[in-house]
Amino acid sequence: MPAATAPSATTLDRTALRAEAEQVLQRLVGSPDARLREDQWTAIEALVADRRRALVVQRTGWGKSAVYFVATALLRARGAGPTVIVSPLLALMRNQIAAAERAGVHAVTVNSTNGEDWGRVYEDVRNGAVDVLLVSPERLNNPGFRDEVLPPLAATTGLLVVDEAHCVSDWGHDFRPDYRRIRTLLADLPEGIPVLATTATANERVTADVAEQLSVTGTRTLEDVLVLRGSLDRESLRLAVVSMPTHAHRLAWLVQHLPELPGSGIIYVLTVSAAADVAAHLRGHGIEAVPYTGQTDPAERLQAEDDLVNDRIKVLVATSALGMGFDKPDLGFVVHLGAPSSPIAYYQQVGRAGRGIDNAEVVLLPGAEDRDIWRYFASIGFPAEDDVRLALSVLGDAGTPMSTPALEARVTLRRNRLEMMLKVLDVDGAVKRVRGGWQATGAEWNYDTERYARVAQTREVEQQSMIDYVATTGCRLEFLRRALDDPDAAACGRCDNCGGFQVSRDVDESAVTRAGADLDRPGVPLEPKKMWPSGMKALDVAVSGKIAPAEQPGTGRAVARTTDLGWGNAVRELFATGVPDGETPVPLRHAAAAVLDDWARDLALDGIVALCSASRPQLVAHLADGLSRYTGLPVLATFRLLDDSLTRSDVNSAHRLSQVARRFELPDDAPVAGKRVLLVDDRTRSGWTLTVAARQVRRAGADAVYPFVLGDGE
């Protein structure tokens, strides 16, 4: 690989350099008439001629990727090493690799889906055959990559690019702990290696935070970072808000008006379950719609992206998993079924539309449940200090590296929160990821209570700002631009409040009725657990490995998930904080009966077994008795509660199982022996209470057990 060399600013003819840069741009975009924007040239000049560090904050579609591809071509032509691009999403990587090839720049990627290619990629990088290496932020702290690949790569890098740089800042709407690892990479770069950070969604606070982090080596100060902020106007976007009285009306609006929207586009929803349900409803009305979430199989996600890019479907119904990096220049519309919790996040998502066309339509359909969903996601932020201290203590006492599952058995945090916390502690130097898991470093670490509180307060302000966006009578785009501290924010003349975009609020009542019928159709499957959590021996629970099929329940049913948009509302209200124990509400009685009519008719059930509840004993007893009277099935047994203390649901699977493993017992085996049983409880959250109870009933001789609850989820 060529050694990184610093071209002398005095020997470069900047006029000739710009001409050369525009030739590369023309190859990149496939047009002989292409010319660089002034800020594009300013950034390229700073990187290539002056070897500076720069932060470019420009709207989506402005051409930030052109800056680093053109700069790469110019630097490589002058003997510099390869460009390293830290990029957050695989979709972004695929699009960027294709774009780079058009400019004559050979780009490769290292990510979780191409492990078999890593050795060859690393060898090509060492041999100088690669112009651009794209890596995910998570890869930077992979022990093998960090310890074996990163040091020589940092020493020979010609340009470092941090894409979607707002993720570096925990003040941003999409903070990712892995991005903080970039600070270490910056510190390891030799003097004179240019750095470019880019984002479309950074207000002044985030911009200052990112710029400060770019200045981490040597005597660099904030003044050494060139910050280029441009106008965040999007001339192609026409924004509107359509408020509807019920979710059935919102679904009906989609069915009626989605075919009228230009081209193909995206419907953003707030939950995984909503993505599946809305896509199914649209397909039922002849609209080609596909769900896309973080739980979608990777191969299916790739196919869904390709189908949208090539207009084989009308719409992708997506969570925020489809965010940064998805590139379809002619995307005709973005609709939000439910508002994101931040105007900044909203601006980023609507920015997917209208990049390469003159007009794109953006519609927000806010929902009454939006705030509840925001509160839930806000509740799973950075863990409390006691949880963090416990994890550090366990790692410190272990003496050897601990895997995440092993650590999970010793702390209460759920897997996703535990992994996020470990990443933050890693960046802070308190723990280190090594082969075999994690280990404590012994370094002193302070819980920054004040900062976490300020970040939480910032989130609350953003949520209120999103509520204000819905209610504003002023220009929609100007509101979003001001939220991003755009000094040039002005009325767009194109939104519904400016008078340039009139959106029909009419809905056909028959469509509302059908949507209401779909929403009123209760029942979601409860799939049985197949594996015990790891590390249960450490919690004095003697289970491990696979759950024996003879001890598993069958697939059960819940009336609704707490995140659902139809019956989910009734379930959320029933289990809301402060609602007292009592009888099953009448609407949920009818819903439970409807689920049994639809699901249990072929199960040949012999009777009901009721669970016990420390928090809602009256509800569970009333539900079991009511189902018995409705079906004619006898209540064969009721579990006995051995410990009536309230348990925590906000813990990981291992600790949830340890809480319930010996919490209740079946008083007598005889009533259930040889029977097919409906196992009734009020709700399920982790699934372990039902798993333990079903195991006891199966061990008592029951031929089959089918769980039934009102609610599934927190």
Side-chain angles (χ1 to χ4, degrees), residues 246-291:
T246 69
H247 185 59
H249 283 82
R250 291 192 289 163
L251 287 178
W253 188 95
L254 288 175
V255 168
Q256 186 169 336
H257 296 289
L258 208 59
E260 302 167 1
L261 297 180
S264 55
I266 301 168
I267 296 174
Y268 277 107
V269 294
L270 299 183
T271 66
V272 171
S273 58
D277 293 345
V278 171
H281 184 78
L282 294 176
R283 288 196 302 272
H285 287 268
I287 298 172
E288 287 297 321
V290 174

Side-chain angles (χ1 to χ4, degrees), residues 607-673:
I608 294 170
V609 172
L611 263 153
C612 44
S613 172
S615 61
R616 297 181 182 274
Q618 186 179 354
L619 175 62
V620 176
H622 184 264
L623 177 62
D625 181 65
L627 293 175
S628 173
R629 286 185 279 108
Y630 180 74
T631 62
L633 297 171
V635 176
L636 302 172
T638 298
F639 273 88
R640 180 186 297 126
L641 191 64
L642 303 179
D643 178 2
D644 63 359
S645 61
L646 296 180
T647 60
R648 289 179 59 185
S649 61
D650 60 335
V651 296
N652 59 46
S653 289
H655 280 265
R656 182 61 181 166
L657 176 56
S658 74
Q659 289 182 140
V660 302
R662 291 180 285 270
R663 183 173 172 78
F664 44 79
E665 68 176 5
L666 196 64
D668 186 3
D669 292 354
V672 302

Side-chain angles (χ1 to χ4, degrees), residues 560-583:
R561 307 178 194 93
T562 55
T563 55
D564 284 347
L565 297 171
W567 281 103
N569 291 323
V571 169
R572 283 195 300 274
E573 291 173 3
L574 176 62
F575 295 111
T577 302
V579 175
D581 187 22
E583 296 184 349

Side-chain angles (χ1 to χ4, degrees), residues 68-106:
Y68 48 77
F69 284 136
V70 171
T72 293
L74 298 180
L75 287 166
R76 291 289 281 167
R78 287 156 179 79
T83 291
V84 176
I85 301 177
V86 182
S87 182
L89 293 179
L90 299 184
L92 183 61
M93 293 183 182
R94 290 190 296 273
N95 291 331
Q96 289 184 329
I97 288 173
E101 295 295 339
R102 293 196 297 270
V105 175
H106 179 47

Side-chain angles (χ1 to χ4, degrees), residues 429-449:
V431 304
K432 184 177 183 180
R433 187 181 175 194
V434 297
R435 284 187 171 87
W438 301 87
Q439 65 182 23
T441 64
E444 183 179 353
W445 181 82
N446 294 314
Y447 189 90
D448 196 344
T449 303

